Amino acid sequence: MGGRPSARGGFFANPDFDYEARIVLGAAASGIGDVGLVLETVGRITDGDPQSWFDAWTALAADMAARGDEALGRGHLNTASWAFLAAAEYYAKALVFVDGLADQSVLLPVFRQGRGCWEKVVDASQGCFVRVQVPYEGTTLAGYLLRPDDTGTARPTLVVTNGSDGSLPGLLGFGAAEALHRGWNAFLYDGPGQQSMLFERGVPFRYDWEAVLTPVIDVLVTRPDVDSSALIGYGISQGGYWITRAVAFERRMVAAVADPGVVDVSAGWTTRLPPALLDLLTSGQKDAFNSAMARAQASAGPEAARTMAFRGKPYGMTDPFDLFTEVRRYQVRDVAAQITTPLLILDPADEQFFPGQPRQLYDLLPGEKAIIAFTQDQGANFHCQPTGRQLTHTQMLDWLADHLAPGQTDLGSRI
């Protein structure tokens, strides 16, 4: 049976399928695709079947890409841009359960199909969206400065840091589109371990994100179309950790948002370990830990091993002890006291990946801070409020606007 929506019951019995369906539905509120397209596609997916999920989303993405090409050929750039953006995100959505596919070699070609559609969005913007290469440790990060127009006016710029597996085009549904409506710029980029950096270059995550955000800021402050006195930051999902870590060292943003607040990424990994395994990890007994993990995975079946390999790939590690040890570096307890940037923490009900951590982060912060709760009654529960994005955007961007100087806010227009 395919997914069937209800007000609170969701689309699928499988919680991961249900959550991902909520994300793609919520993105429609920001102009990515359309609600009907999402609902009909969800209805064709077999609950919990990764191949069914992949087939449904790739079919829709291909259809939207064809629509984009047709519109482009007729000179309808706005329609082409809308269709290509939807195609880019739907190709990305097709890959969220790639670790469950019998043939995982589809990852890179499907990623490239989606990124190709995104590049067509950039081209169709007629100069409003520009590619910006960020120098980074002997290479570059792929960056895109999205501007409301091509006048080159210096504007406030929302620097968006993605999470562990979200797509770059999907960030338009996570605040970037709303920033453009306000007349601000939005800067999107792939950092280490994210999208093109991982899939095409094999560059893994790093815990010290100030080494990533600082080169981004270094480039932006030199641009005449960026108001260097009005840089604001946003970290989505695991980006809530990265933005918090980074602003402990990089202080050129006037305010930032962590969605959600994250204190310790490793908590979601270590809380599932039996106490004996956790003791082996903490005491540094690598061989014993790895042997125990191998036995546990063997008893859990091949799916557990696939999941562990998939989760470990962005960290660039296959050895279980090394992987868990590395993930434990992803925490901000040691640096939170030196954060001076005003920080807004978002705290959704039913947070499934970092439960309780938004309030913990709020309590750790020494300087100006705020926290906003989101509830089921608002339709804005679960990690990153997937079906409450416009409610999220209005509140978080209003808070950021309050930290800009007069004349730097509400530069755009709305119908």
Short mmCIF file of all heavy atoms in Angstrom, two decimals, residues 118-142:
data_model
loop_
_atom_site.label_atom_id
_atom_site.label_comp_id
_atom_site.label_asym_id
_atom_site.label_seq_id
_atom_site.Cartn_x
_atom_site.Cartn_y
_atom_site.Cartn_z
N TRP A 118 20.08 21.75 -11.28
CA TRP A 118 20.34 22.95 -10.48
C TRP A 118 21.15 23.97 -11.28
O TRP A 118 20.86 25.17 -11.23
CB TRP A 118 21.08 22.58 -9.20
CG TRP A 118 21.66 23.77 -8.49
CD1 TRP A 118 22.96 24.09 -8.34
CD2 TRP A 118 20.93 24.84 -7.85
NE1 TRP A 118 23.12 25.27 -7.66
CE2 TRP A 118 21.88 25.75 -7.35
CE3 TRP A 118 19.57 25.10 -7.66
CZ2 TRP A 118 21.52 26.90 -6.66
CZ3 TRP A 118 19.21 26.25 -6.98
CH2 TRP A 118 20.17 27.14 -6.49
N GLU A 119 22.14 23.51 -12.01
CA GLU A 119 22.94 24.44 -12.81
C GLU A 119 22.07 25.14 -13.86
O GLU A 119 22.30 26.31 -14.20
CB GLU A 119 24.09 23.70 -13.49
CG GLU A 119 25.12 23.12 -12.52
CD GLU A 119 25.89 24.17 -11.74
OE1 GLU A 119 25.84 25.36 -12.11
OE2 GLU A 119 26.56 23.80 -10.76
N LYS A 120 21.04 24.46 -14.35
CA LYS A 120 20.12 25.10 -15.29
C LYS A 120 19.27 26.16 -14.58
O LYS A 120 18.89 27.17 -15.20
CB LYS A 120 19.23 24.06 -15.96
CG LYS A 120 19.98 23.15 -16.93
CD LYS A 120 19.05 22.15 -17.60
CE LYS A 120 19.80 21.29 -18.60
NZ LYS A 120 18.92 20.31 -19.29
N VAL A 121 18.98 25.95 -13.31
CA VAL A 121 18.28 27.00 -12.53
C VAL A 121 19.16 28.24 -12.45
O VAL A 121 18.69 29.37 -12.64
CB VAL A 121 17.95 26.49 -11.11
CG1 VAL A 121 17.38 27.62 -10.25
CG2 VAL A 121 16.97 25.33 -11.16
N VAL A 122 20.43 28.02 -12.17
CA VAL A 122 21.36 29.15 -12.08
C VAL A 122 21.43 29.89 -13.42
O VAL A 122 21.35 31.13 -13.46
CB VAL A 122 22.76 28.65 -11.66
CG1 VAL A 122 23.77 29.79 -11.68
CG2 VAL A 122 22.71 28.01 -10.27
N ASP A 123 21.54 29.16 -14.50
CA ASP A 123 21.61 29.80 -15.81
C ASP A 123 20.33 30.54 -16.16
O ASP A 123 20.37 31.61 -16.79
CB ASP A 123 21.90 28.74 -16.88
CG ASP A 123 23.30 28.15 -16.77
OD1 ASP A 123 24.18 28.83 -16.19
OD2 ASP A 123 23.51 27.02 -17.25
N ALA A 124 19.18 29.97 -15.78
CA ALA A 124 17.90 30.60 -16.11
C ALA A 124 17.63 31.85 -15.29
O ALA A 124 16.70 32.61 -15.60
CB ALA A 124 16.76 29.59 -15.91
N SER A 125 18.42 32.10 -14.26
CA SER A 125 18.19 33.27 -13.41
C SER A 125 18.61 34.57 -14.09
O SER A 125 18.37 35.65 -13.55
CB SER A 125 18.95 33.12 -12.09
OG SER A 125 20.34 33.31 -12.28
N GLN A 126 19.28 34.47 -15.23
CA GLN A 126 19.73 35.64 -16.00
C GLN A 126 20.61 36.57 -15.16
O GLN A 126 20.45 37.79 -15.15
CB GLN A 126 18.52 36.42 -16.55
CG GLN A 126 17.72 35.64 -17.59
CD GLN A 126 16.61 36.45 -18.20
OE1 GLN A 126 15.67 36.85 -17.52
NE2 GLN A 126 16.73 36.73 -19.49
N GLY A 127 21.54 35.97 -14.46
CA GLY A 127 22.51 36.75 -13.71
C GLY A 127 22.17 37.02 -12.27
O GLY A 127 23.01 37.57 -11.54
N CYS A 128 20.98 36.66 -11.84
CA CYS A 128 20.64 36.87 -10.43
C CYS A 128 21.39 35.90 -9.53
O CYS A 128 21.82 36.26 -8.43
CB CYS A 128 19.13 36.72 -10.22
SG CYS A 128 18.13 37.96 -11.05
N PHE A 129 21.54 34.65 -9.97
CA PHE A 129 22.29 33.65 -9.23
C PHE A 129 23.67 33.52 -9.87
O PHE A 129 23.77 33.37 -11.09
CB PHE A 129 21.60 32.29 -9.26
CG PHE A 129 20.22 32.27 -8.64
CD1 PHE A 129 19.46 31.10 -8.70
CD2 PHE A 129 19.68 33.37 -8.01
CE1 PHE A 129 18.19 31.05 -8.14
CE2 PHE A 129 18.40 33.33 -7.44
CZ PHE A 129 17.66 32.16 -7.51
N VAL A 130 24.70 33.60 -9.06
CA VAL A 130 26.06 33.54 -9.60
C VAL A 130 26.86 32.46 -8.87
O VAL A 130 26.69 32.23 -7.68
CB VAL A 130 26.78 34.90 -9.50
CG1 VAL A 130 26.12 35.92 -10.40
CG2 VAL A 130 26.80 35.40 -8.06
N ARG A 131 27.73 31.80 -9.62
CA ARG A 131 28.61 30.79 -9.06
C ARG A 131 29.81 31.46 -8.39
O ARG A 131 30.40 32.37 -8.96
CB ARG A 131 29.08 29.83 -10.17
CG ARG A 131 27.92 29.07 -10.82
CD ARG A 131 28.37 28.30 -12.06
NE ARG A 131 27.25 27.57 -12.68
CZ ARG A 131 26.43 28.10 -13.59
NH1 ARG A 131 26.62 29.36 -13.99
NH2 ARG A 131 25.44 27.39 -14.08
N VAL A 132 30.15 31.00 -7.22
CA VAL A 132 31.26 31.57 -6.46
C VAL A 132 32.12 30.42 -5.94
O VAL A 132 31.67 29.63 -5.12
CB VAL A 132 30.76 32.41 -5.27
CG1 VAL A 132 31.94 32.97 -4.48
CG2 VAL A 132 29.85 33.54 -5.75
N GLN A 133 33.33 30.32 -6.43
CA GLN A 133 34.24 29.30 -5.95
C GLN A 133 34.97 29.80 -4.71
O GLN A 133 35.56 30.89 -4.72
CB GLN A 133 35.24 28.93 -7.04
CG GLN A 133 34.62 28.30 -8.28
CD GLN A 133 33.95 26.97 -7.96
OE1 GLN A 133 34.53 26.09 -7.34
NE2 GLN A 133 32.70 26.83 -8.39
N VAL A 134 34.93 29.02 -3.65
CA VAL A 134 35.55 29.40 -2.38
C VAL A 134 36.87 28.65 -2.22
O VAL A 134 36.87 27.41 -2.13
CB VAL A 134 34.63 29.06 -1.20
CG1 VAL A 134 35.31 29.39 0.13
CG2 VAL A 134 33.30 29.81 -1.31
N PRO A 135 38.01 29.34 -2.22
CA PRO A 135 39.29 28.66 -2.00
C PRO A 135 39.29 27.92 -0.67
O PRO A 135 38.90 28.48 0.37
CB PRO A 135 40.30 29.80 -2.00
CG PRO A 135 39.64 30.90 -2.79
CD PRO A 135 38.18 30.79 -2.45
N TYR A 136 39.71 26.66 -0.72
CA TYR A 136 39.68 25.83 0.49
C TYR A 136 40.76 24.76 0.41
O TYR A 136 40.67 23.84 -0.40
CB TYR A 136 38.30 25.18 0.64
CG TYR A 136 38.23 24.13 1.73
CD1 TYR A 136 38.15 24.50 3.07
CD2 TYR A 136 38.27 22.78 1.42
CE1 TYR A 136 38.10 23.53 4.07
CE2 TYR A 136 38.21 21.81 2.41
CZ TYR A 136 38.13 22.19 3.73
OH TYR A 136 38.09 21.23 4.73
N GLU A 137 41.80 24.92 1.18
CA GLU A 137 42.84 23.92 1.37
C GLU A 137 43.33 23.30 0.05
O GLU A 137 43.30 22.08 -0.13
CB GLU A 137 42.37 22.84 2.34
CG GLU A 137 42.06 23.40 3.71
CD GLU A 137 41.92 22.33 4.78
OE1 GLU A 137 41.79 21.14 4.42
OE2 GLU A 137 41.92 22.68 5.97
N GLY A 138 43.73 24.14 -0.87
CA GLY A 138 44.29 23.67 -2.13
C GLY A 138 43.25 23.31 -3.19
O GLY A 138 43.62 22.93 -4.30
N THR A 139 41.98 23.44 -2.85
CA THR A 139 40.92 23.20 -3.83
C THR A 139 39.88 24.31 -3.66
O THR A 139 40.20 25.40 -3.19
CB THR A 139 40.31 21.79 -3.63
OG1 THR A 139 39.32 21.56 -4.64
CG2 THR A 139 39.69 21.62 -2.26
N THR A 140 38.66 24.06 -4.08
CA THR A 140 37.59 25.05 -3.91
C THR A 140 36.32 24.36 -3.47
O THR A 140 36.11 23.17 -3.73
CB THR A 140 37.31 25.81 -5.23
OG1 THR A 140 36.97 24.86 -6.25
CG2 THR A 140 38.50 26.63 -5.66
N LEU A 141 35.48 25.10 -2.79
CA LEU A 141 34.13 24.67 -2.45
C LEU A 141 33.18 25.27 -3.48
O LEU A 141 33.30 26.44 -3.85
CB LEU A 141 33.72 25.16 -1.06
CG LEU A 141 34.65 24.83 0.11
CD1 LEU A 141 34.11 25.46 1.39
CD2 LEU A 141 34.82 23.34 0.28
N ALA A 142 32.22 24.46 -3.93
CA ALA A 142 31.21 24.97 -4.85
C ALA A 142 30.22 25.84 -4.09
O ALA A 142 29.56 25.38 -3.17
CB ALA A 142 30.48 23.81 -5.52
#
